[in-house]
Amino acid sequence: MSSVLFATAKWWLAVSLVGWAAAPVAWRLFPGLPDRGLAFVRPLGLLVAGYVFWLLGMAGMVPNSTAGAWFVVLVVVFAAAWVGQPRRAEALGWLRRHRALALGYEAVFLAGLFGWAVYRSYNPNIETSGGEKYMEMAFISGVLDSPQLPPLDPWMSGHTISYYYFGYVIAAFLIHLTGILRFEAFNLLVPMSLGLALCGAFGLGYNLVALSRGATRAARLFGGGFTAFLLPLAGSLEGALELGYLRGWGPAAWYDWLDVMNLTVAGGTCPDEAASGFGAGGWVPTRFIWWWRASRVIHDGCGYVINEFPFFSFMLADAHPHVLALPFALAVLGLALAVLAGGWDPDGDRPLWSPRWLALPFVVGALGFLNTWDLPTYGFVLVAAYGLRALRRPAEAVDVARTPENTALAVLGGLGVAAVAWRAAAVFLEAARQVPPDQQPLAARALLAGAVTLAAAVAAHGVWRQAAAGHGTALRVLDTARFAVWLAALSILFYLPFHLGFQSQVSGIGLVDVRTRLPHWLVHFGLLFFLGATAIAALAPDVRAAARRPGSGVRPIAVAAVAAMAGAAYLAAWTAFVLVAAIAAALVVLAARWPGADGLDDA
C-alpha cells in the first residue's frame, strides 16, 4: 500500500505542477465564470504541455525523454507566467479571496485520484483485468520507445500510430516527468481521469448555480457536488434492475418485456444469453463481472451497441481514448458556459484572430486528437453557446463585413457543406434504394449533393442580403456561421500533422444496424431524462406568455416538432418520438425564457 501511495503522490505532484502552471492561462480563458476556471486548470495544463511536447518532438527540437519533458515544463511555466503578467496582481488577489474554493477543488481531485488508485491496487494486473488493456499498454510503450515523434506503431513496423493517441502522448509525458514504471503508471491513468472529471463536473455545477441570481454558497456547493455525482459517478438504471431481478421484485413478464440480456425469466430474444437467477435472493449478483451487462443494455435481437457510461469505464479501468478525453471534454463545456455567460463577447476589430480567441479552437481541436468522435459533438455545443450569446448582443456590435478573412471562411464553409452533402446523398441512396455507396451511380449522387449544396447557397445568400440591409437576426446568424467555420477550420489546423497521418476504419455518417428500443433507451438514460423533464416542467409556466410574443420562436419550434413526431409515430420509431418531444420542449422553454435567463447579464 505504501508503494501505491508513494507512486500516486508523485503522479499528483507532476499533474499539479503542470496544471497550476497554466492557472494564468485559465484566468484569461474563463472570465465569465465565478470560479475563473479553477476546475479546469489541470486539463488545460496537461493539454498545453502535451501539445508542446508532441509538436516540438515532431520537429525534432525536443527529445522523447525525461530531459525533453522537463524542458517542456520550463517552457510552459515561463510562457504562462508571461501571459498572466499583465493581471498578475489582480489574479493573486482574487485567489487569496477564494482560497477555500481552490482548496476544495484540490480535495475533490485528491479524493478521486488517491481513492481510485487504492481501489485499482487490489486488481492491478493488466493480463487478468479484461478489456483492451493490452492494446493501450502497447500504444503507451510505442510512444515511450519511439526515438522521436510521431510515435511508431507497435504492430506495423515502419509505420506510425494511426489512432487518436494524444492521451497516450500525455501519459508518456507524465511517465517521463515522474520516472514511474510504465506498468505502474498505466494504473494511475484512470484514477487521474476520474479525479479530473470529478473536479470538472463539480466546477460545471458550481458555476451554473453561481450564475443564477441570489444563489447562496450552500446552493453553489450542492450544485457542484450533485453534478460531480451525476456525471462521473452515477450509472444507468440497469443496476436497479439487477437488484430487482435478484430479489424477485415485480412480475416476471415485466423483465421479459424489457428484454435486457441476462435479465429475462422465460428467455430473451438472443439464445446465447441464458436467463437465470430470478428471485434467487441475495444483494449482489454472482455472474462473472455482472456489471458488464450495464454497458450492453441497448440491443435489437442478438445485435447490440456498446452503451458505456463514465462510471462503467472507471470500473473497467481501460485507459481508452474516450476515458482519457473526459476531463478535456468537460473543460470545453466550461468554455461554452463562459462564452454563454458573456466572458467572450468580441472586442476589437478582429477578435477571432486575437491570441485569446485562438485558444478556443486549440482546446476544442484537441478533442479530435484525444477521441475524434468528441470533436463535432462538443464543437457544436460551443457554437450553440456562441449563437445564444449572439442573441444578447446589440446588432451594431456584430461585424460581418466583407473582408479577406470572412471571404476565406465563406469559401471553407461552402466546401464543408458540399462535403457533408456528398456523404448525405450516399446515405439517402442507401436507405431509399438499398444501394451501397460503392455501387451508387455517381450522377445520381452528384445530383442530390448538388441540390442540397445549391439550396444551402440560396439560403446563405438570403441571409446575407438581410444582413446587408441591417436585419439584426440575419447579422447574428451570419456571425454564428462565421464562428462555426472558423472554429472547425482552426480546430483541424492546430492538429494538422495528426489528421494528415490518421486513417480511420470509419468514414462519415451512415445507417445504424441496431435500432434503439424505447425501454432500453430509458434504462440507459432514464435518470438524466427524468431530471431534464423535471427542469423543463419547472420552467414551463413562462411558455404560454412567450408564445403570444412576436418573434419568440415558440410557434415555429412547436410546429416543426409536431411534424417530426407525427413522422416518428408513423414509422413506429418511439425512441425518436420521445427524443424529438424532449428536445422540442427544451427548445420551447429556452425560447420562452430567452433573453430573460437569470444571471447571464450579471456575469
Side-chain angles (χ1 to χ4, degrees), residues 181-481:
L181 292 175
R182 66 187 66 181
F183 307 105
E184 294 178 352
F186 181 88
N187 286 315
L188 291 172
L189 290 177
V190 170
M192 177 188 71
S193 297
L194 174 58
L196 294 175
L198 282 171
C199 204
F202 190 100
L204 283 177
Y206 179 91
N207 286 302
L208 279 168
V209 175
L211 285 170
S212 301
R213 292 193 182 101
T216 64
R217 183 171 181 270
R220 298 180 183 195
L221 294 176
F222 174 80
F226 184 65
T227 309
F229 164 76
L230 191 65
L231 292 183
L233 298 181
S236 69
L237 299 179
E238 196 274 343
L241 288 178
E242 291 276 2
L243 179 60
Y245 185 84
L246 200 61
R247 304 297 298 177
W249 295 338
W254 187 67
Y255 292 91
D256 289 331
W257 173 76
L258 278 177
D259 192 23
V260 175
M261 294 182 184
N262 287 130
L263 294 181
T264 57
V265 179
T269 56
C270 184
D272 296 332
E273 295 285 347
S276 63
F278 178 70
W283 296 96
V284 179
T286 57
R287 296 197 319 272
F288 176 65
I289 54 172
W290 60 269
W291 42 271
W292 180 271
R293 180 52 51 212
S295 68
R296 304 297 192 274
V297 167
I298 298 174
H299 72 94
D300 185 7
C302 293
Y304 64 84
V305 297
I306 301 174
N307 49 259
E308 289 192 22
F309 47 89
F311 191 67
F312 172 89
S313 300
F314 295 134
M315 282 283 292
L316 183 62
D318 277 355
H320 219 53
H322 69 264
V323 180
L324 301 180
L326 276 173
F328 304 94
L330 291 171
V332 173
L333 292 181
L335 282 174
L337 183 58
V339 169
L340 188 60
W344 285 81
D345 284 353
D347 51 0
D349 296 332
R350 300 171 63 191
L352 293 182
W353 307 102
S354 66
R356 189 170 78 98
W357 276 82
L358 289 174
L360 285 178
F362 172 76
V363 177
V364 174
L367 293 178
F369 197 1
L370 284 159
N371 187 43
T372 304
W373 299 355
D374 286 347
L375 177 57
T377 303
Y378 292 94
F380 172 80
V381 172
L382 187 58
V383 170
Y386 183 92
L388 288 173
R389 186 62 195 181
L391 295 176
R392 306 295 304 277
R393 292 163 47 213
E396 56 270 16
V398 180
D399 179 21
V400 289
R402 187 169 295 177
T403 63
E405 295 91 7
N406 288 340
T407 301
L409 291 174
V411 172
L412 284 175
L415 293 175
V417 169
V420 172
W422 178 257
R423 180 59 190 172
V427 173
F428 176 80
L429 289 173
E430 185 176 5
R433 301 293 181 90
Q434 302 298 313
V435 180
D438 57 346
Q439 299 178 17
Q440 293 172 1
L442 291 180
R445 187 173 177 182
L447 183 63
L448 286 173
V452 172
T453 305
L454 180 62
V458 170
H461 179 68
V463 172
W464 178 264
R465 290 186 61 184
Q466 291 288 324
H471 194 279
T473 300
L475 280 169
R476 294 180 178 95
V477 169
L478 207 59
D479 183 39
T480 303

